[in-house]
Amino acid sequence: MSVTGCAPTGQTVDMGETPPAVPEPATPVVEFYWRPGCGFCSMLRRGLEKRGIDTVDHNIWDEPEAAARVRSVARGSETVPTVFIGEWSAVNPSAADIQRQLDARR
């Protein structure tokens, strides 16, 4: 059984290292997993846009593979926003969390 939802404000769940799908590119790719109507997703997207962070977006309601990837790091739930950068993943991260991950890879 999977649970769909948004992570509550201020409750970041860092799920740690996940197996890489592909080798990391020279410029880190920020994969942003979201669903329509998710206010937490909208807040994170605005924070990333303010920082000039580009994302590759995956709507978990339109892409079954995306939903499965989110479940793989969110304890079986479809909790969004979920972000992957290479092997790192986090459920409901802040824009600052993502910026720190990107800075560490440059």
Side-chain angles (χ1 to χ4, degrees):
M1 176 173 92
S2 67
V3 178
T4 301
C6 289
T9 302
Q11 293 186 0
T12 298
V13 180
D14 185 343
M15 302 309 288
E17 299 294 316
T18 58
V22 294
E24 289 192 46
T27 301
V29 175
V30 177
E31 293 185 83
F32 183 88
Y33 290 75
W34 68 287
R35 67 166 176 78
C38 173
F40 300 107
C41 298
S42 297
M43 286 178 13
L44 179 56
R45 185 178 310 281
R46 282 191 303 272
L48 296 174
E49 288 172 354
K50 284 180 183 177
R51 292 171 182 265
I53 297 173
D54 294 325
T55 61
V56 175
D57 296 347
H58 301 278
N59 179 340
I60 66 167
W61 284 359
D62 288 344
E63 302 174 41
E65 309 82 24
R69 191 166 188 209
V70 168
R71 287 192 305 272
S72 77
V73 298
R75 299 182 181 132
S77 297
E78 292 179 356
T79 305
V80 290
T82 296
V83 174
F84 289 84
I85 303 172
E87 296 180 20
W88 178 85
S89 65
V91 177
N92 197 32
S94 67
D97 293 334
I98 295 169
Q99 184 70 64
R100 279 190 292 275
Q101 286 297 320
L102 291 172
D103 291 345
R105 297 169 192 288
R106 292 184 178 144

